[in-house]
Amino acid sequence: MIADGHDEARERIEIDLLLEAIQRRYGYDFRGYALASLRRRLWHRAYGEGLQTLSGLQERVLHDPTCMDRLLRDLSINVTEMFRDPSFHRALREHVFPLLRTYPFIRVWNAGCSTGEEIYSLAIALHEEGLLARTRIYATDIDEAALGRARSGTFALDRMQRYTENYLRAGGSNAFSSYYTVSGDAVRFDPALGAGIVFAQHNLVTDGSFNEFQLIMCRNVLIYFGPKLQEEVLGLFGLSMTRRGILALGRKESIRHSTHADEYEPLVEHEKIFRRRS
Amino acid sequence: MSSVALVAIGASWGGLHAIEVVLGALPEDFGAPVVIAQHRQVDSSDGMLVRLLDARCALTVCEAEDKQTLDRGVVVVAPPDYHLLVESGTVALSVDAPLNFSRPSIDVLFNSAADAYGARVAGVVLTGANSDGALGLAQIADRGGTAIVQDPETAERREMPDAALSATPTARVLALAEIGPALAQLSTPGIRSRP
């Protein structure tokens, strides 16, 4: 009975039309995103708007740009933490920094930086290894509001105990609290850490290469992309890397199935840190 | 009834033992992929659960990697601190916010399984001290899938089976030892090469 209850084919039509409407009206292209998470996020927004269907969401998004802002946030926010996966950050210090140290000037791209937790983690580690002063970090995200929060270097105070534990397990050598000042229920990280960071809006789906980097960090972003889009973004990273550049992905991400797999060799295999062969 | 093409299992408190019992009863030629969301500590050591389970059942058990294909007779476990979802034939991961304080969330897994596999999924709720999985199991049942709940009397913690049963009163209630054999009956045995 097509008219009743849940109908996958009908929902698929609604999703396709909604994504096309967003692309044509606002230029954001989510058509290559992985379906399972995308569907959850679309429904989350629909319910948040008090709507019962995704075609209802399409109507509101087309007529109300503020609804598009809210949807964009839902579709782009990557929930992360400082020094997420401490063993990854330890591996950066032990295996990646020695390679970066050989360059007089270091360029790093954090693609999909979200609200900045990862990039401040990296800045702290670079500082402790004496590399921050000659590093320029480009932190990009599709969502301007997330970038605004990242730029402010402000995080919730109640997360600091957790972040401190992560920091120590990641090989941090100072008092973590020396990096921030508390103000109410938030903390603000030392502006000196952010001085070498350029925050900029960049859409991995539609924007091109803008520099060459020795290290590209893109963690837990590709999981939201479908296979074809993953392929395109890995191609973009290849174009954006110096000779023998380093690519760091999330712990459960893989380039194994990609046509770009042969372009890389593992640097720290279980942390998904790869190095270009040429 | 169409043969089951995916088995999705959710477990929390006491889950390791319960999962071991269920998987231990599945034959090596089990005809469907199995996906598991087991609540565990964010920092739980990498791969420990997977190694334990792999050593104690006839199937191959691995921790999910993004875009991995779902193969019959292969058990895919949600990594700590990721949501595990399925699409048609593949695994998808997400780091969206925890749901009911859980990541992986059983509801997220079951919901994606219902979307991707419709009537061809069997959802199993095992022991646990919360209500995760109740909503997802109801969605599986709504789409014509098979809903199975561990008999609360045989569960180490009965809250999760109880919650699943009150959301899906039509679910099959089975003692822990009966769940594996029931799943084996629901799926057509497959031919599979084992390396």
Side-chain angles (χ1 to χ4, degrees):
Chain A
M1 214 26 213
I2 279 209
D4 286 330
H6 186 88
D7 183 303
E8 277 89 12
R10 180 181 58 200
E11 188 193 54
R12 191 55 213 253
I13 295 170
E14 290 181 289
I15 291 175
D16 288 350
L17 293 175
L18 170 58
L19 298 183
E20 180 169 346
I22 292 168
Q23 195 275 326
R24 288 177 57 184
R25 178 70 180 168
Y26 297 99
Y28 295 110
D29 192 353
F30 295 103
R31 292 173 297 184
Y33 274 49
L35 186 61
S37 291
L38 180 67
R39 184 196 276 122
R40 283 197 71 79
R41 288 171 160 201
L42 293 175
W43 275 112
H44 179 257
R45 187 71 261 143
Y47 291 142
E49 302 285 324
L51 299 166
Q52 300 305 312
T53 65
L54 294 181
S55 12
L57 183 60
Q58 179 191 322
E59 183 188 6
R60 182 157 309 171
V61 160
L62 277 174
H63 293 276
D64 178 0
T66 67
C67 178
M68 183 62 224
D69 290 341
R70 295 188 291 275
L71 177 58
L72 183 61
R73 203 130 310 138
D74 289 338
L75 291 176
S76 59
I77 282 291
N78 167 349
V79 181
T80 185
E81 55 185 38
M82 293 188 78
F83 297 97
R84 178 184 162 101
D85 306 327
S87 62
F88 166 82
H89 286 274
R90 186 180 280 274
L92 275 185
R93 275 197 206 227
E94 291 175 359
H95 301 282
V96 175
F97 287 9
L99 298 173
L100 295 181
R101 196 180 291 283
T102 63
Y103 295 94
F105 190 72
I106 303 164
R107 284 186 306 276
V108 178
W109 180 15
N110 183 204
C113 68
S114 193
T115 43
E117 286 81 351
E118 191 115 67
I119 210 60
Y120 280 88
S121 308
L122 182 70
I124 287 169
L126 286 166
H127 164 74
E128 292 181 3
E129 302 296 326
L131 295 173
L132 186 62
R134 54 185 162 114
T135 303
R136 174 62 54 90
I137 301 172
Y138 291 80
T140 65
D141 200 89
I142 183 177
D143 181 14
E144 190 59 59
L147 282 171
R149 285 180 54 195
R151 211 176 266 124
S152 75
T154 312
F155 302 107
L157 175 61
D158 63 11
R159 302 293 289 147
M160 286 306 129
Q161 187 183 345
R162 165 91 190 153
Y163 293 174
T164 304
E165 290 163 14
N166 284 353
Y167 163 77
L168 293 171
R169 291 172 56 205
S173 51
N174 289 348
F176 191 57
S177 59
S178 68
Y179 290 114
Y180 59 78
T181 50
V182 179
S183 154
D185 55 6
V187 305
R188 174 140 197 264
F189 275 77
D190 186 344
L193 289 170
I197 306 177
V198 178
F199 292 95
Q201 193 177 28
H202 181 277
N203 185 340
L204 286 170
V205 183
T206 49
D207 294 335
S209 175
F210 59 95
N211 209 328
E212 285 194 341
F213 302 92
Q214 287 99 7
L215 168 64
I216 297 180
M217 263 173 55
C218 183
R219 306 193 69 225
N220 298 319
V221 175
L222 294 182
I223 52 178
Y224 291 104
F225 295 171
K228 184 166 166 287
L229 185 52
Q230 282 194 350
E231 198 66 13
E232 288 168 16
V233 173
L234 286 171
L236 171 65
F237 289 162
L239 290 174
S240 308
M241 248 182 223
T242 58
R243 212 185 147 266
R244 302 283 281 150
I246 297 157
L247 175 65
L249 300 177
R251 191 160 49 89
K252 292 296 163 186
E253 290 175 321
S254 170
I255 57 169
R256 197 183 311 156
H257 307 292
S258 160
T259 60
H260 296 286
D262 292 343
E263 297 163 16
Y264 295 89
E265 61 192 24
L267 183 64
V268 186
E269 191 152 25
H270 62 281
E271 299 296 349
K272 302 299 164 67
I273 302 175
F274 305 93
R275 190 170 196 203
R276 270 186 92 74
R277 292 184 192 274
S278 61
Chain B
M1 182 172 29
S2 62
S3 178
V4 161
L6 178 77
V7 173
I9 299 176
S12 187
W13 187 296
L16 175 59
H17 169 69
I19 292 169
E20 215 184 294
V21 172
V22 172
L23 294 184
L26 299 182
E28 197 185 347
D29 65 351
F30 186 64
V34 180
V35 288
I36 298 179
Q38 156 74 50
H39 293 164
R40 46 184 165 154
Q41 289 295 312
V42 169
D43 304 320
S44 54
S45 73
D46 235 31
M48 181 67 141
L49 175 69
V50 163
R51 280 197 300 279
L52 276 172
L53 291 174
D54 191 53
R56 294 179 195 177
C57 76
L59 308 182
T60 302
V61 183
C62 58
E63 198 163 87
E65 194 167 86
D66 189 46
K67 306 288 186 283
Q68 180 182 349
T69 57
L70 289 165
D71 297 317
R72 49 174 57 182
V74 176
V75 181
V76 174
V77 180
D81 214 18
Y82 283 85
H83 290 303
L84 171 64
L85 300 89
V86 295
E87 299 194 346
S88 186
T90 59
V91 158
L93 296 174
S94 115
V95 288
D96 282 3
L99 197 66
N100 307 319
F101 308 101
S102 302
R103 189 167 66 192
S105 148
I106 301 165
D107 279 337
V108 169
L109 174 63
F110 283 8
N111 176 245
S112 72
D115 274 331
Y117 284 83
R120 306 194 68 199
V121 55
V124 183
V125 172
L126 300 175
T127 170
N130 54 74
S131 63
D132 194 14
L135 199 63
L137 192 71
Q139 284 162 338
I140 287 174
D142 273 352
R143 312 276 171 85
T146 307
I148 296 174
V149 176
Q150 180 180 1
D151 183 349
E153 301 297 332
T154 71
E156 197 167 327
R157 292 297 295 263
R158 61 176 299 152
E159 289 92 331
M160 213 161 83
D162 278 338
L165 279 174
S166 67
T168 310
T170 55
R172 287 176 70 179
V173 182
L174 296 173
L176 182 58
E178 296 167 351
I179 295 174
L183 292 172
Q185 272 192 355
L186 285 169
S187 92
T188 318
I191 301 154
R192 180 177 85 87
S193 57
R194 197 181 163 91

